[in-house]
Amino acid sequence: MALSGMRGLSVFISDIRNCQNKEQERLRVDKELGNVRTRFKNEKGLTPYEKKKYVWKMLYIYMLGYDVDFGHMEAVSLISAPKYPEKQVGYIVTSCLLNENHDFLRLAINAVRNDIIGRNETFQCLALTLVGNIGGREFAESLAPDVQKLLISSSCRPLVRKKAALCLLRLFRKNPDVVNADGWSDWMAQILDERDLGVLTSSMSLLVALVSNNHEAYWSSLPKCVRILERLARNQDVPQEYTYYGIPSPWLQVKTMRALQYFPTIEDPNTRRSLFEVLQRILMGTDVVKNVNKNNASHAVLFEALSLVMHLDAEKEMMSQCVALLGKFIAVREPNIRYLGLENMTRMLMITDVQDIIKRHQAQIVTSLKDPDISIRRRALDLLYGMCDVSNAKDIVEELLQYLSSADFAMREELSLKIAILAEKFAPDLSWYVDVILQLIDKAGEFVSDDIWFRVVQFVTNNEDLQPYAALKAKEYLDKPAIHETMVRVSAYILGEYSHILARRPGCSPKEIFSSIHEKLPTVSTSTIPILLSTYAKILMHTQQPDPDLQNQIWAIFRKYESCIDVEIQQRAVEYLELSKKGAVLKDVLAEMPKFPERQSALIKKAVETEADTADQSAIKLRAQQQTSNALVVTDQHLTNGSPPVNQLGLVKIPTMSNVDNSSADEGVTQANGTLTVVDPQPQPSSTPSPDLLGDLLSPLAIEGPPAGGNQADTNLASDAKGAPMPPEALALAPVEEQTNTVQPIGNIAERFHALCLKDSGVLYEDPYIQIGIKAEWRAHHGRLVLFLGNKNTAPLASVRALVLPPTHLKMELSLVPETIPPRAQVQCPLEVINLHPSRDLAVLDFSYKFGTQAVNIKLRLPAALNKFLQPITVTAEEFFPQWRSLSGPPLKLQEVVRGVRPMPLLEMTNLFSSLQLMVCPGLDPNANNLVISTTFYSESTRAMLCLIRIETDPADRTQLRMTVASGDPALTFELKEFVKEQLVSIPTATPRPAMPAPSQPRAASPPPVASDPGALLAGLL
C-alpha cells in the first residue's frame, strides 16, 4: 500500500515533467486537483498515510505556481498526528500554504503548544520551526512563555534551545510586550554564559533586537558580550565546525559588536580596556588575501569593529590606525572592499581628530572618482565633499570640475550642487568663486539650478571690487561660439549692470558687447528673452556718447517684440521703447541695482542644516541607517538598482533638480518694473520645476512627477469619494490569471492584451467554452470596436452578460449583448469609444456566462490605450525647432531619466515606437545615439495636439536613457511621458494602468521561492 501510494506521487511528478506545453500541464494538474478534492470530501475513509500522500501532491502543485484553495484543513490536521512522518508533512505543508493571518492557523495553536511543552525533541523542533517562520501576534501571546522556558531550560539539548531563541526573536518582533524586560534581563545575561556557540549565536540575535528596543534593561549583558569577544578573538574553546576559514565564528563576532553599539558608553575601565584590546587585535590582524570567502568573513568582522571604535570614541591613536587601515583598503583591487573602505572613511569624518589623517589619502580618493563602478564613484564624491575645508578646497573643487566633464549624467546634478556649495563655503577670494561657478555653468549648465547663478549675482552686486573682473569674465564666455542658456542669463545680467566699467578696454564698447549678447538671442527660450531685453535697455542707458546706429538696432528689437504673445516680453518691449525715448527718465528707472541685504545662501543653509542633523546621531540611529542583512559583505542596494544613494553623513544629495529647494526666493532674481530685482521669500511648491534652459534639442529639463498645478481631472489622479488620493495599489487591476475560476483561460491574457495594444485585431480571451475577439478602427478621438463572442461548443452559453466599466476620460457605449449564444455560433457586439482628454487609464470589460453548471466571470482590460489616439506625423527641422522652443518648460515640457530599460539596439527601439504610433524623425538630432519623435494626439478637449519627444541613450549603458516630452497640454505631456516610460521599462510584457481594481480571491500565502524542479525537492523529502 505504501509503495503504491508513493508510486502514485512519483507518477504524477513524472507526468508533469513530461508535459509538452503549459496547457497539458494545466489539464493534468486540474485532473489531479479534482481527484484530491474528491478524496478529501470522503475524509472519513482516508487513512493518515493517504492524507499525507494527497497533501504532498497539494504542496507540489502549489510549488508549481498553481493556486490551491482547498485542503488547508487536512494539512493542519496532520500536525496533531501521533507519528513523525505525518506530523512532519503537516508542519511543512502548513508553513508553505498558510501565512500568519490565516484563519486555519488558529486551529493549530493548541497542537503546536502540545508539541512545544512535550518531551519529544523532534516534535519540539518541528513546532519551533513553524512558529519561527509564520508565527504572528496570536502565536506570540499564546506561546511566548513556553518558548522562554525551553530557552532557559538546562535539560534541553542545544539543538532545541537555539531554535527556541530564534523562535522567541520572531515572537518579539511580532509583539514586543511578550518579553518583559524587568524579568527577562537577568535570564538573558545567564544565557550569554552558554558554552555552545550555536545557542550563543541564536541568543545574540535575540539580544540585538532586545537592546535596540530598550538598552537600559540589559546593562548586565554588556560585560558578558565583551567576554564572548575575548573568547573568540583568542580562539579559546571554539569548535572546528564554528571556525570559518580560520576565523572563529565571524557571525557571532559581528552580532556581538552590533549589540554593543546600542549601549551609549562603557563606564567600567576594566571592561573598556578588555574591549579595546580585542578591537586592537582585530584591527591589526585583518588583511586582504586571495580567498574571497575568507575576505568576506574577516572584513565583515573588521568593518563592524570599525563601527564600534567610532561609537566608543576611542583614543586618537586607535582612530589613526583605523584610518590607515581604511586607506590601505581603498587602494585594493576588490571593489567591495574599496566601497566599504570609502563608506567607513566617510563616517569617520564625524570624528574631528582624524580629519587631517584622512586628507593624506586625498589622491587615492580622487582616483576612485574614475572607478568603473558607479557606487564607488558616489562614495568617493561623498567623501571628498565631506573632507573639504579651506586648506584643500582649491584642489578638490578643481578635481571635481575636471571630473564633471566625464561624469555620468545621473551624477551631474548632485556633483554640480556640491561643487557650488564647496566653492561658496571655502572660497579663498571672491574672484576664485566667480571663476568656479562660471566654469561650472559652462561645463554642466543644464544641471545647474537657478539658485547658483542667483548667488553669483548677489556677490557681484555687493562687492564693487569684483564687478570689473566678473564683467570681463562674462564677456569672455559670451565670445565663445556655443554656451549654455544659463551662461547667457548670468553673463547678460552682469554685463547689463557693469559693462560700462569695461568701456575703455579693447573689444568692450557698448556696441561690441551688445553684438556679443544679441548673437545668442536666437538660441534662447522665451524665459530668457526678458533678461536680454533688460540688458539691451541698460546698455543703451550706459552709453556715454549717443550712438544712433546702436539705438536704432535696439529699438528695432523692442518694436519686434511689442506684439509678442508672451505678456512679460511684450510689456518689457513696450515700456523700454517708450522709456528710452525720454532720455534721462531711463537712467532713473534703470538705475544700478542696490546692494542686497546680507543673508545666508539657500545652498549653504541646506548644507549646514544637514550636517547639524547628523552631528548628534546616536549609535542606534546610525545602526538604523545601515541595511539589515545577514550577508557578511553588504553592497549598496540603492546603487545597484539605480536609485539615489543613502548618505550616512547627511551630505547634500539631489537626484533631480526638481528636488532643489527653490522656495528661498531671497536669492532669487525676478523681473519686474523693467529691472531685475531680488524679492523676499515667497512660499512655493517644493517641486518647482526649472525653466527650459536651451529651448532646442540640447535643452535638458529635470522634472519628475505630474505637472505642477495641473487639474486633477486633467491628470486623472485617482481619488476616493471624499477626494483623498487613493493608494497606488488601488489603481492596479488584479491580473486575470489570478482570478479564481474553475474554468481556466487558454493562453496568457496579459500577452494577448499587450498584442492588441499594438494592433487592431486579435483574440482578447479564450477558454474551453468561449473565444472573445476584437476588431477595431480608430479615427482621431473616435474609436469603434467590435467584440466577437464565439461559442466553441455544441451546447448553448446561457446568462451571458457584458458590462463595460469605462474610466473618466473615455465615453463608451456597448450595444446589446444577447443573453444566450447558440452552439457553434458567433455574435458581434459593437462598442463606440470617444476620447475626452488625455489619460493612461483603461476600460474594463466585466463578462460572465454559464455553461451547464459552470459559472464563469472574468474581468478583461480593453485595449483602448493612449496610443490608439495617436497619429504619427513627420516633421522637418523648420517645423520642429520653433515648436520645440515655444514649449519652454514645465508643465508643457517634462524630462526624466528612465532606468531599468531592457537593452535594445536603436533600430529595435525605433520599431517599438513605430508600433506605438510614434514617428521617429531621422536627421533632426546630430547625435546618432538619440531619437527625435513626433506624433499627433486626438481628444475632445485637445483636438489635434502635436507631441514631440526626444530620447537620449547612453551607448555605454543601454539600461538607462533620458526622455524629454513636450506638448501644448500639461496633462498630455505627463501622461505621454509615463506611457512611453511604461512601454520601455515593462518590455516584453507591458501592463498599462487600468482604471479600477477588480475583485480577486484572497490567497493563503505568496508562493515561496522554489527550485526550478519542485519534484526534485519532494523526492529528497520522500
Side-chain angles (χ1 to χ4, degrees):
M1 177 67 181
L3 289 176
S4 174
M6 290 304 173
R7 190 177 300 115
L9 179 58
S10 301
V11 168
F12 174 58
I13 294 174
S14 298
D15 289 347
I16 293 296
R17 289 176 174 174
N18 293 330
C19 288
Q20 299 298 316
N21 52 51
K22 192 69 176 177
E23 183 58 26
Q24 286 186 12
E25 179 184 291
R26 187 186 298 277
L27 292 175
R28 182 66 181 89
V29 168
D30 288 345
K31 177 181 177 182
E32 194 63 39
L33 285 176
N35 179 48
V36 173
R37 190 191 297 270
T38 302
R39 297 306 300 269
F40 279 166
K41 285 182 179 178
N42 189 22
E43 186 179 355
K44 294 181 180 179
L46 284 180
T47 65
Y49 187 81
E50 289 177 320
K51 187 184 295 184
K52 178 189 74 170
K53 176 185 64 175
Y54 292 123
V55 168
W56 272 134
K57 289 186 177 181
M58 285 171 46
L59 177 60
Y60 178 62
I61 292 171
Y62 179 75
M63 291 164 69
L64 289 174
Y66 295 93
D67 287 338
V68 178
D69 55 359
F70 68 94
H72 299 156
M73 188 62 197
E74 285 74 10
V76 171
S77 66
L78 285 175
I79 292 177
S80 304
K83 296 182 180 180
Y84 173 76
E86 287 78 18
K87 187 180 289 288
Q88 179 204 28
V89 176
Y91 276 114
I92 291 176
V93 178
T94 300
S95 297
C96 293
L97 292 184
L98 305 186
N99 59 31
E100 62 182 74
N101 299 316
H102 202 284
D103 293 337
F104 282 156
L105 209 54
R106 298 189 183 96
L107 304 177
I109 291 181
N110 288 334
V112 173
R113 183 174 184 274
N114 291 335
D115 285 337
I116 289 177
I117 63 179
R119 296 192 175 186
N120 189 314
E121 291 181 344
T122 304
F123 291 178
Q124 286 176 331
C125 289
L126 287 174
L128 291 171
T129 302
L130 173 76
V131 178
N133 284 325
I134 63 171
R137 291 187 66 89
E138 292 190 30
F139 273 86
E141 295 167 359
S142 304
L143 303 180
D146 299 315
V147 177
Q148 287 176 325
K149 290 178 183 177
L150 283 183
L151 178 57
I152 63 179
S153 172
S154 57
S155 60
C156 286
R157 289 172 55 194
L159 175 66
V160 177
R161 295 182 64 200
K162 68 182 181 182
K163 286 183 178 291
L166 295 176
C167 181
L168 187 59
L169 173 60
R170 165 83 181 200
L171 299 181
F172 173 77
R173 287 171 174 168
K174 291 299 176 182
N175 184 4
D177 296 334
V178 300
V179 178
N180 189 340
D182 296 335
W184 182 252
S185 57
D186 294 336
W187 284 111
M188 194 70 237
Q190 292 184 27
I191 293 172
L192 296 181
D193 291 327
E194 175 66 40
R195 305 305 297 174
D196 185 275
L197 289 187
V199 176
L200 206 53
T201 304
S202 301
S203 301
M204 193 59 68
S205 298
L206 175 62
L207 179 64
V208 169
L210 294 174
V211 296
S212 67
N213 189 55
N214 177 17
H215 70 273
E216 294 289 345
Y218 295 93
W219 279 105
S220 57
S221 298
L222 190 148
K224 302 290 183 70
C225 291
V226 176
R227 288 197 205 109
I228 292 171
L229 282 178
E230 285 185 291
R231 171 187 171 188
L232 296 175
R234 294 172 182 170
N235 206 356
Q236 295 177 342
D237 191 23
V238 179
Q240 184 63 33
E241 59 267 24
Y242 285 97
T243 303
Y244 185 78
Y245 287 90
I247 304 168
S249 190
W251 304 276
L252 180 56
Q253 291 190 58
V254 169
K255 290 178 181 179
T256 305
M257 287 186 283
R258 188 166 295 181
L260 288 172
Q261 291 177 64
Y262 287 103
F263 295 100
T265 184
I266 299 178
E267 302 292 346
D268 182 52
N270 294 328
T271 303
R272 186 178 176 88
R273 184 176 61 255
S274 299
L275 179 57
F276 278 122
E277 288 177 359
V278 173
L279 295 175
Q280 184 78 23
R281 184 189 296 265
I282 294 174
L283 294 178
M284 299 300 294
T286 306
D287 204 349
V288 180
V289 297
K290 291 185 178 180
N291 189 294
V292 176
N293 292 328
K294 183 171 183 178
N295 270 341
N296 288 344
S298 62
H299 290 104
V301 176
L302 172 66
F303 286 114
E304 201 65 46
L306 290 172
S307 297
L308 184 55
V309 168
M310 287 185 276
H311 170 68
L312 295 174
D313 195 16
E315 292 77 8
K316 185 175 181 180
E317 182 180 353
M318 181 173 283
M319 291 293 186
S320 301
Q321 288 181 356
C322 294
V323 176
L325 193 61
L326 292 174
K328 183 172 67 174
F329 285 163
I330 65 176
V332 301
R333 295 181 59 185
E334 173 60 36
N336 283 340
I337 297 175
R338 286 205 309 279
Y339 177 89
L340 291 170
L342 291 167
E343 183 183 47
N344 281 272
M345 196 175 280
T346 304
R347 295 180 59 208
M348 279 204 158
L349 289 171
M350 289 186 293
I351 304 166
T352 56
D353 293 338
V354 299
Q355 289 182 355
D356 292 336
I357 307 173
I358 292 177
K359 291 178 186 176
R360 299 173 190 170
H361 304 280
Q362 180 174 318
Q364 185 59 46
I365 298 168
V366 170
T367 303
S368 298
L369 280 177
K370 303 175 179 64
D371 195 277
D373 191 333
I374 189 173
S375 60
I376 293 178
R377 297 199 296 272
R378 286 187 182 276
R379 294 285 79 80
L381 174 60
D382 287 345
L383 181 52
L384 284 172
Y385 176 83
M387 64 188 283
C388 186
D389 58 21
V390 178
S391 64
N392 60 2
K394 277 192 172 183
D395 295 334
I396 289 180
V397 170
E398 182 179 346
E399 291 289 349
L400 294 181
L401 281 172
Q402 291 181 5
Y403 174 60
L404 187 60
S405 301
S406 59
D408 296 347
F409 58 72
M411 288 181 61
R412 291 190 185 183
E413 292 166 358
E414 177 185 1
L415 185 57
S416 300
L417 183 63
K418 288 183 174 179
I419 291 173
I421 292 175
L422 294 179
E424 183 171 344
K425 287 179 68 175
F426 306 114
D429 56 75
L430 290 179
S431 60
W432 178 82
Y433 169 74
V434 171
D435 282 340
V436 169
I437 300 302
L438 292 181
Q439 286 184 60
L440 177 63
I441 296 173
D442 186 47
K443 290 176 179 286
E446 59 210 72
F447 300 101
V448 176
S449 69
D450 285 345
D451 285 325
I452 295 175
W453 78 268
F454 291 168
R455 191 63 171 163
V456 175
V457 167
Q458 291 181 38
F459 278 123
V460 174
T461 304
N462 289 5
N463 295 272
E464 292 184 9
D465 296 339
L466 186 61
Q467 292 165 3
Y469 181 79
L472 187 60
K473 296 298 293 185
K475 176 66 168 60
E476 291 177 3
Y477 278 103
L478 268 182
D479 288 339
K480 288 187 175 184
I483 59 174
H484 195 273
E485 187 169 357
T486 304
M487 182 65 76
V488 176
R489 292 176 181 176
V490 65
S491 299
Y493 180 87
I494 292 174
L495 289 173
E497 294 289 335
Y498 311 112
S499 62
H500 60 282
I501 302 176
L502 308 177
R504 295 183 180 180
R505 292 177 180 266
C508 295
S509 67
K511 192 169 185 178
E512 289 170 317
I513 288 179
F514 165 75
S515 298
S516 298
I517 298 174
H518 190 53
E519 285 178 359
K520 311 302 180 186
L521 180 62
T523 66
V524 300
S525 62
T526 54
S527 60
T528 303
I529 293 177
I531 300 177
L532 300 187
L533 296 182
S534 298
T535 301
Y536 298 160
K538 292 217 170 190
I539 290 175
L540 200 58
M541 177 195 72
H542 287 307
T543 304
Q544 299 294 331
Q545 297 178 355
D547 185 343
D549 186 32
L550 175 61
Q551 186 181 67
N552 291 333
Q553 283 183 283
I554 294 177
W555 283 0
I557 297 171
F558 290 158
R559 291 191 183 96
K560 173 184 174 183
Y561 286 106
E562 278 184 327
S563 58
C564 180
I565 193 172
D566 186 281
V567 177
E568 176 75 15
I569 296 174
Q570 183 188 92
Q571 181 177 354
R572 285 175 185 257
V574 171
E575 292 179 356
Y576 290 158
L577 180 60
E578 293 303 318
L579 287 171
S580 62
K581 293 178 180 179
K582 298 183 183 298
V585 178
L586 184 64
K587 293 185 178 182
D588 294 335
V589 175
L590 297 182
E592 188 173 306
M593 285 291 296
K595 290 186 178 182
F596 296 107
E598 292 296 331
R599 53 171 69 96
Q600 190 180 27
S601 133
L603 304 179
I604 296 292
K605 186 177 180 181
K606 181 189 290 287
V608 170
E609 290 175 352
T610 312
E611 290 170 359
D613 290 340
T614 53
D616 61 344
Q617 282 182 331
S618 65
I620 295 178
K621 290 182 180 179
L622 283 175
R623 176 57 53 199
Q625 286 184 351
Q626 297 179 2
Q627 294 175 337
T628 303
S629 175
N630 295 324
L632 292 175
V633 177
V634 182
T635 57
D636 193 339
Q637 298 297 323
H638 293 278
L639 298 176
T640 55
N641 63 18
S643 299
V646 174
N647 197 327
Q648 299 251 1
L649 285 180
L651 305 177
V652 176
K653 54 183 185 294
I654 169 172
T656 62
M657 296 307 293
S658 60
N659 293 337
V660 178
D661 183 8
N662 290 330
S663 61
S664 57
D666 47 6
E667 288 82 41
V669 179
T670 187
Q671 301 134 5
N673 299 326
T675 59
L676 292 173
T677 59
V678 174
V679 297
D680 292 331
Q682 297 293 331
Q684 296 182 12
S686 60
S687 60
T688 304
S690 304
D692 191 4
L693 300 179
L694 265 188
D696 59 6
L697 279 177
L698 301 179
S699 79
L701 294 171
I703 180 71
E704 293 183 357
N711 192 314
Q712 273 198 336
D714 291 338
T715 53
N716 281 305
L717 296 177
S719 58
D720 59 16
K722 296 181 181 180
M726 296 177 66
E729 56 267 27
L731 297 173
L733 177 66
V736 178
E737 48 267 45
E738 290 190 7
Q739 298 172 7
T740 302
N741 274 321
T742 55
V743 176
Q744 297 296 331
I746 298 173
N748 188 300
I749 296 177
E751 291 179 0
R752 292 183 185 276
F753 167 81
H754 179 60
L756 284 170
C757 287
L758 304 180
K759 59 183 182 179
D760 291 333
S761 63
V763 176
L764 178 66
Y765 172 85
E766 185 176 9
D767 63 29
Y769 307 119
I770 194 170
Q771 183 185 77
I772 302 177
I774 280 186
K775 186 173 182 180
E777 292 181 358
W778 306 93
R779 293 181 182 177
H781 61 286
H782 291 272
R784 176 181 173 86
L785 291 81
V786 179
L787 301 180
F788 296 85
L789 311 178
N791 185 351
K792 300 167 57 177
N793 291 272
T794 56
L797 299 179
S799 302
V800 178
R801 184 180 63 87
L803 177 65
V804 174
L805 308 175
T808 57
H809 76 286
L810 292 180
K811 182 179 179 181
M812 309 183 80
E813 183 176 351
L814 179 65
S815 65
L816 186 64
V817 178
E819 188 172 350
T820 302
I821 302 179
R824 301 288 184 181
Q826 183 186 78
V827 298
Q828 300 181 15
C829 304
L831 173 62
E832 301 293 333
V833 181
I834 299 177
N835 185 25
L836 303 179
H837 55 79
S839 176
R840 290 169 294 130
D841 292 342
L842 293 171
V844 175
L845 175 65
D846 187 354
F847 186 82
S848 61
Y849 68 94
K850 286 185 179 180
F851 181 82
T853 59
Q854 294 277 5
V856 180
N857 179 250
I858 50 177
K859 292 180 175 59
L860 305 168
R861 294 164 295 179
L862 291 173
L866 181 73
N867 62 299
K868 298 297 185 181
F869 305 102
L870 298 177
Q871 183 65 40
I873 182 174
T874 302
V875 295
T876 62
E878 291 76 18
E879 297 169 328
F880 178 87
F881 288 99
Q883 185 69 20
W884 183 264
R885 293 190 189 102
S886 67
L887 302 170
S888 57
L892 299 182
K893 183 186 285 185
L894 303 179
Q895 185 182 85
E896 181 176 351
V897 175
V898 182
R899 298 181 176 87
V901 178
R902 189 192 73 170
M904 68 181 92
L906 283 180
L907 179 59
E908 184 179 344
M909 188 178 291
T910 300
N911 294 334
L912 171 65
F913 289 138
S914 297
S915 66
L916 296 173
Q917 304 298 310
L918 301 170
M919 175 66 71
V920 176
C921 303
L924 292 184
D925 195 313
N927 190 334
N929 294 305
N930 299 342
L931 299 176
V932 177
I933 298 165
S934 61
T935 190
T936 305
F937 176 81
Y938 294 90
S939 72
E940 198 168 76
S941 62
T942 63
R943 295 300 172 181
M945 180 70 69
L946 179 65
C947 306
L948 303 175
I949 304 174
R950 185 187 185 213
I951 303 292
E952 299 170 81
T953 66
D954 185 357
D957 186 4
R958 290 291 187 184
T959 64
Q960 65 175 355
L961 53 83
R962 184 164 59 182
M963 176 172 59
T964 309
V965 180
S967 78
D969 180 79
L972 173 57
T973 302
F974 175 73
E975 294 291 338
L976 183 58
K977 176 179 74 73
E978 293 299 312
F979 176 80
V980 175
K981 181 174 73 172
E982 288 173 356
Q983 302 303 314
L984 292 171
V985 173
S986 58
I987 294 172
T989 55
T991 306
R993 182 182 60 173
M996 58 186 66
S1000 61
Q1001 295 295 330
R1003 299 181 61 183
S1006 58
V1010 297
S1012 58
D1013 187 359
L1017 177 59
L1018 279 181
L1021 291 173
L1022 296 177

